[in-house]
């Protein structure tokens, strides 16, 4: 299987969303969706690693699926605001590698 770049992911999501008249949701609506998806991820992590077991009536979901949902909405938000996620990532990594370079104990 060929690996996709961040640019590939952004284009794939844009191609998908572009086929619908509605297009991207507003940034505020996508922020609400991000919050919703993060809550679903938190719930799954709490079920797997926390003290709150699932009810017998609750269907099993995968943490991977919930992270995928978060990624999709994050890409939608970035695309709608014309943000290049590779550049955004590079900026954040530069910050961690400079400002926070001595913050944690290195191996």
């Amino acid at each position: 299987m060929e690996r996709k770049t961040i640019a590939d992911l952004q284009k794939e999501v844009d191609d998908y969303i572009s086929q619908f008249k509605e297009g991207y949701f507003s940034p505020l609506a996508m922020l609400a969706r991000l919050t919703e998806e993060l809550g679903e991820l938190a719930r799954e992590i709490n079920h797997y690693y926390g003290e709150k077991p699932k009810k017998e009536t609750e269907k099993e979901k995968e943490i991977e699926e919930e992270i995928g949902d978060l990624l999709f909405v994050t890409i939608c938000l970035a695309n709608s605001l014309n943000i290049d996620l590779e550049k955004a990532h590079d900026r954040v990594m530069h910050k961690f590698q400079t400002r926070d370079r001595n913050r944690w104990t290195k191996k």
Side-chain angles (χ1 to χ4, degrees):
M1 181 168 75
E2 187 176 323
R3 302 198 48 97
K4 297 176 185 177
T5 66
I6 293 173
D8 292 337
L9 297 177
Q10 286 193 257
K11 183 175 179 344
E12 184 176 5
V13 169
D14 193 59
D15 288 347
Y16 174 76
I17 296 295
S18 294
Q19 68 181 321
F20 303 108
K21 279 197 275 187
E22 295 81 1
Y24 290 105
F25 295 153
S26 71
L28 199 53
M30 283 191 273
L31 179 60
R33 285 208 53 217
L34 272 174
T35 303
E36 180 183 330
E37 295 299 348
L38 184 59
E40 291 177 15
L41 175 61
R43 184 175 180 86
E44 289 308 307
I45 287 177
N46 195 26
H47 289 314
Y48 282 99
Y49 301 105
E51 289 71 41
K52 185 179 177 188
K54 281 191 182 259
K55 297 175 191 171
E56 289 182 18
T57 56
E58 288 182 290
K59 112 178 174 183
E60 284 293 318
K61 284 190 173 178
E62 294 292 325
I63 291 172
E64 178 181 0
E65 179 182 346
E66 297 304 338
I67 290 175
D69 289 344
L70 265 174
L71 179 60
F72 178 81
V73 178
T74 299
I75 292 170
C76 285
L77 180 58
N79 285 354
S80 75
L81 298 172
N82 295 314
I83 293 172
D84 180 324
L85 284 172
E86 185 175 350
K87 287 181 184 176
H89 167 79
D90 290 347
R91 290 179 72 181
V92 169
M93 288 308 298
H94 176 73
K95 178 175 62 177
F96 282 118
Q97 292 165 345
T98 55
R99 183 193 74 188
D100 295 338
R101 71 181 169 277
N102 295 318
R103 191 171 192 174
W104 293 278
T105 307
K106 292 189 178 176
K107 294 181 184 180

